[in-house]
Each structure stands twice: as C-alpha cells, then as structure tokens.
Amino acid sequence: MGIGPKAWVADRLGRDQVFRINVRNGDEISKLSQLVNSDNFKLNFWKSPSTFGHPVDVLFPSVSLQPVKSFLKSQGLEYLVTVEDLQALLDNEDEEMQYNEGQERSSNNFNYRAYHSLEAIYHEIDSIARDFPDLASRVKIGHLFENRSTYVLKFSTGEGRQQLTIWLNSGIHSWEWISQATVIWTTVSDNGKDPAITSILEKMDIFLLAVANPDGYVYTQTQNRLWRKTRSLNPGSSCVGTDPNRNWNVSFAGEGASDNPCSEVYHGAHASSEVEVKLVVDFIQERGNFKCFIDLHSYSQLLTYPCGYMVKKAPDADELDEVARCVAKALASLSGTEYQVCPTCTTVYPASGSSVDWAYDNGIKYAFTFELRDIGHYGFFLPASQIIPTTEETWLGLKTIMEHVWDNLS
C-alpha cells in the first residue's frame, strides 16, 4: 500500500518554524515556563528543558511567530531559528518517499537509503528471515491497540543453546524515523562477513525490534507526521495516546512525565498500560538472560546511560561511561560525527518511566540510549540522504557495545 502525496500531514503547516531558546539560569527557566504554559502559542517541544546551558527546541505555528518573538525579546531570552520552514522539509520528505516507492515497485528491491512504510519494513523483515534462515528468524510477540502485529528479528548462530542476549529497540517515539531506518539497515550490514559479529553471534543472541510503536508510526505516515505517542484511547479524555517511553515500571509517574492525557509526555493510566511496552516487558522477563538493552532515538547526537529519573550516580556508572566514550570514539571515527556522553538526567532532561532505566533496574547492566543525528538543523526530519551515513557510524558504536558485553560477561 502506497502513501499518498501529503497524506502524512492532514493540515499543511504554513511556515512553521523551530526556535532554539537558550536558558542560562532559574529566572530564564521561569520565563520560558510562562511561554510553555500559555495556550495561545500552540507550541510543540522538540527538545525539552534540562539543565542550564542546554538549549530548548520548540516548534511554533506560523500564526504564533510574531507574538512569540515579541515575548522572547521582552523577556531577554536569546534564540535562533533552526528550522526556517517545516513544511518545506515535509514536502521534500514526501517527494523522496514517492520517488522511492516508484523505484522499488519497478526493481522489487528494498532501498536502504530511503524511509519506508510499516508494510514495507515488515516485508523486508520477512525477506531477511527467508533469505538467511541459519542466521535470522522472525518472532511475533503480539497484537497492538489497532490490531497490528508486532515482530522482532532474532539473530543467532548458537544452534539452540541458551545464550546471553541483547535487545535492540527503535522507533518507540513514532516521529523519529531515522531510528527505524538505522536499525533495519543493521540487519544486513556486516552479518556473516564481519569476524567480530560472527564471533558474537556464536555466543550471544540479538533480538531486534525495528518498529517499537507501529500504530504511531503508521499514523505519522497517514495523518500527522508530528505524532510521537501510541494510539490507545484514554478514558475520560478526547486526547489519544501515551508516551511509551514514560510508561515503563521504573519511577513511574515521576519527574519528566505528565498526568495530562493531552501532554506529549503523558505517562499512561498505569505502568505498562501500553501494549507496546507490556509485550516487550513480558518477552524479556519470560526469556531471561538479557544482558544488554539499547534504545535508538533521535535527535541530538547523544549517548546516555542510567539513570534518567533523578540526578543520582548509577552503581555501574563508571563502567557505563567508559563504554559510552569508546562508543562515541567509534562513531566519530567514520565521518567525524561528535556525540556527547553522560547520564540521561544530566544530558537530556529528567525522564521517569523510560525503557533503558527499566532495563537497568531489572538487572540488564549494559543499558544505553542513542540519540541519533542531527543536532537540530533538521531535527526529526533528517533527509533520507543521511540514512546511510547515520547507520554506518551507528553500527560501529553498536559493535563496540556488543564486543564489550561479550568480553566482560563471557
């Protein structure tokens, strides 16, 4: 099924813009909060406030631009425009996908340099399992709110032995398309050719969830490209969806999450209320033996580790920091892309109920979050031309983690 022109944004955005606002002290945080809490501007956070010195990225509709600029100027808040015309980015993305769909229909080949529909990704997952039966198998783990199936790819050459296991997650926030594109590329990159990966797969299994929020992902491609949450209904509210990365049973409903169903960071009615979360939790707990959990997001070029819900040093923070810095070095070795490394709560913003913190608190020591390219010029709308450069450098980082896990747990 194709994606019709302009289908993924029901309402054209005019000349909406993204502002990067600098906050340097508590007074400026307070002033920004006035802006955030106003219903007049209809803003959408792309990068939320964290600590002083970390900028905030906010999307404003075109009708709000002049009053917002006046407010920022009157309050002495510094800003710059990182995205001049969001609709232009969406139009370019639209044209690229339409062209790619035509090319793929004529060649019958999956183009790893393009973004794809859920249907196309699932078809490629089937093809990988069929073409590499000694390496990969497709595992159905359940059905979602809108009755879609969700699948993981299992990579193993361990011939049925109980092995140490790695979980690789992507697309939990549906508008972060580069995460899905990156992880699906890794499935065919070096498998069977790279001696390091061949060795790892002989001793460890890898479970890959390429699209962790399928309902939301389809919605970004049919209704609203700016959709982040799940698509479940919230009783008593007309607002749909829960932030699936605030729904895990770790410091649930704590700092960095909201009890407002209309919020982008709504934590849900209870921990694991979202089937997208519960299916993964049940799968990992029933199988056991998971030693590494990696969650791919965008954007910001960050590599973070627990914990995210409070400013407290995790027991294994020193080792995790050392691993993360080796990963950042590997990422930079290909094309110089620089990643910051730090615990989640100090690098990004407080975030209770996250997947990586849940993994760590449930005994999965090596738990990391990647925030992929870029640092804000395109934000969540990274051009397809950057998919391969992003995936190639990310793969070097993933291999660094896998090798460390094996070397330290074997």
Side-chain angles (χ1 to χ4, degrees), residues 14-90:
R15 196 178 173 84
D16 292 7
Q17 295 184 342
V18 178
F19 288 12
R20 173 159 292 175
I21 304 170
N22 291 320
V23 286
R24 296 162 294 190
N25 53 52
D27 181 54
E28 292 190 347
I29 286 282
S30 177
K31 291 175 180 177
L32 182 62
S33 295
Q34 295 179 40
L35 189 67
V36 171
N37 294 329
S38 171
D39 292 330
N40 298 328
F41 299 129
K42 307 299 181 185
L43 60 80
N44 185 330
F45 267 118
W46 281 22
K47 187 189 293 184
S48 297
S50 54
T51 56
F52 304 146
H54 286 266
V56 179
D57 291 353
V58 189
L59 169 65
F60 293 101
S62 56
V63 295
S64 299
L65 293 179
Q66 283 310 123
V68 164
K69 289 177 181 178
S70 297
F71 177 88
L72 294 173
K73 184 176 180 180
S74 70
Q75 300 300 316
L77 290 168
E78 296 180 354
Y79 73 94
L80 59 87
V81 178
T82 56
V83 176
E84 291 277 357
D85 186 350
L86 182 58
Q87 187 62 55
L89 292 185
L90 291 167

Side-chain angles (χ1 to χ4, degrees), residues 152-166:
V152 295
L153 265 175
K154 177 185 177 182
F155 292 90
S156 176
T157 57
E159 299 178 354
R161 297 188 300 273
Q162 177 72 0
Q163 302 200 116
L164 303 180
T165 311
I166 293 171

Side-chain angles (χ1 to χ4, degrees), residues 51 57 105 107 142-143 146 157 160 165 194 208 286 307 314 357 369-370 387 394:
T51 56
D57 291 353
R105 279 194 295 268
S107 67
H143 285 87
E146 295 182 341
T157 57
T165 311
D194 187 319
L208 184 152
E286 288 169 8
C307 59
D357 280 347
T369 298
F370 284 68
I387 292 175
T394 303

Side-chain angles (χ1 to χ4, degrees), residues 12 49 65 83 103 113 126 173-174 215 260 324 366:
R12 288 183 64 81
L65 293 179
V83 176
Q103 293 292 104
R113 300 177 182 274
D126 289 342
H173 287 144
S174 51
D215 288 350
N260 179 359
Y366 297 105

Side-chain angles (χ1 to χ4, degrees), residues 124-136:
E124 182 63 8
I125 287 173
D126 289 342
S127 297
I128 291 167
R130 182 181 64 249
D131 295 344
F132 304 96
D134 296 332
L135 176 69

Side-chain angles (χ1 to χ4, degrees), residues 145-146 213 215-216 219 227 229-233 240-242 276:
F145 180 79
E146 295 182 341
N213 181 4
D215 288 350
Y219 197 74
W227 191 258
K229 301 191 288 181
T230 64
R231 293 295 303 163
S232 59
L233 301 180
V240 172
T242 288
E276 292 86 352

Side-chain angles (χ1 to χ4, degrees), residues 163-337:
Q163 302 200 116
L164 303 180
T165 311
I166 293 171
W167 183 272
L168 186 55
N169 214 59
S170 71
I172 197 169
H173 287 144
S174 51
W175 62 353
E176 299 170 0
W177 286 9
I178 186 60
S179 64
Q180 292 98 328
T182 294
V183 81
I184 196 70
W185 181 89
T186 66
T187 62
V188 295
S189 55
D190 284 338
N191 293 324
K193 296 178 286 186
D194 187 319
I197 296 303
T198 301
S199 177
I200 287 171
L201 287 175
E202 288 174 353
K203 304 149 188 162
M204 303 179 72
D205 294 342
I206 299 172
F207 283 88
L208 184 152
L209 180 56
V211 187
N213 181 4
D215 288 350
Y217 186 61
V218 170
Y219 197 74
T220 65
Q221 297 191 331
T222 57
Q223 297 296 325
N224 182 356
R225 178 62 177 83
L226 303 178
W227 191 258
R228 162 188 168 101
K229 301 191 288 181
T230 64
R231 293 295 303 163
S232 59
L233 301 180
N234 295 310
S237 174
S238 61
C239 294
V240 172
T242 288
D243 183 342
N245 208 35
R246 300 293 184 276
N247 191 239
W248 301 69
N249 192 17
V250 54
S251 188
F252 178 76
E255 191 172 359
S258 172
D259 60 3
N260 179 359
C262 299
S263 169
E264 291 292 300
V265 290
Y266 175 52
H267 51 55
H270 56 81
S272 297
S273 64
E274 302 310 286
V275 66
E276 292 86 352
V277 174
K278 189 176 188 309
L279 288 173
V280 175
V281 168
D282 290 348
F283 187 89
I284 288 176
Q285 291 183 332
E286 288 169 8
R287 178 182 172 85
N289 221 28
F290 280 87
K291 302 301 179 183
C292 179
F293 187 109
I294 301 169
D295 204 353
L296 299 186
H297 289 258
S298 73
Y299 61 98
S300 287
Q301 293 171 202
L302 300 174
L303 185 59
T304 65
Y305 52 86
C307 59
Y309 54 87
M310 59 180 174
V311 183
K312 178 182 178 182
K313 191 173 181 178
D316 302 294
D318 290 342
E319 182 184 358
L320 296 178
D321 189 79
E322 181 182 352
V323 176
R325 293 189 186 282
C326 290
V327 172
K329 186 176 180 180
L331 285 160
S333 68
L334 189 63
S335 55
T337 306

